[in-house]
Amino acid sequence: MQHIHIASDHAGFDLKQALARHLTERGHEVVDDGPFTDESCDYPVMAHKLCRAVVREECLGILICGSGLGMSMAGNRHPDIRAALCTTELQASLARRHNDANVLCLGARIIGLELAVAIVAAFLGNGFEGGRHARRLSLLAPVAENR
Ligand code: RB5
């Protein structure tokens, strides 16, 4: 059983509802950060809300928009968030094992429910391997010279 935050925009709403139900039925403690209707909304607002909760509660999160791209861009603006957009189970597994990703991003217009369920299972079922991967993560510090 894991404590998981989940959020989407309007494009990811149906997939969010389905995944939240699926994870709850499997005994996970799911916090739905919204939205609570499929009315149009802005993905950065939802991403920032979820990411603040993930950092505060030191847990994992799932963000869903149409492509998954906007959510991953927004999530990765947070210094302590490593948001990984995944379209395969292998990516989701590696995102946890090698990148210590704490937010999984999904594109509801890219993948279907069955694949999304498998990707989420791979993400939740794997952990960070540390070692050389920890050194590489430490090198991900913001790059100042481009400003
Ligand atoms: C909404 O139409 C769409 O732009 C959004 O869900 C997402 O795909 C952005 O990256």
Side-chain angles (χ1 to χ4, degrees), residues 9-12 43 65-71 109:
D9 68 356
H10 53 285
Y43 62 82
C65 63
S67 62
L69 291 164
M71 286 299 197
R109 293 174 178 160

Side-chain angles (χ1 to χ4, degrees), residues 39-108:
E39 264 177 59
S40 182
C41 65
D42 298 328
Y43 62 82
V45 174
M46 307 313 300
H48 295 325
K49 179 180 179 186
L50 177 136
C51 289
R52 287 187 188 106
V54 164
V55 171
R56 192 173 55 239
E57 297 171 26
E58 296 183 14
C59 63
L60 297 178
I62 302 171
L63 284 171
I64 311 164
C65 63
S67 62
L69 291 164
M71 286 299 197
S72 60
M73 290 178 190
N76 283 314
R77 296 295 177 107
H78 293 251
D80 293 324
I81 291 292
R82 291 167 302 283
L85 170 57
C86 298
T87 56
T88 70
E89 291 171 70
L90 179 59
Q91 279 179 311
S93 160
L94 289 171
R96 292 287 297 130
R97 289 164 47 207
H98 289 194
N99 308 112
D100 198 18
N102 49 6
V103 172
L104 170 67
C105 300
L106 299 172

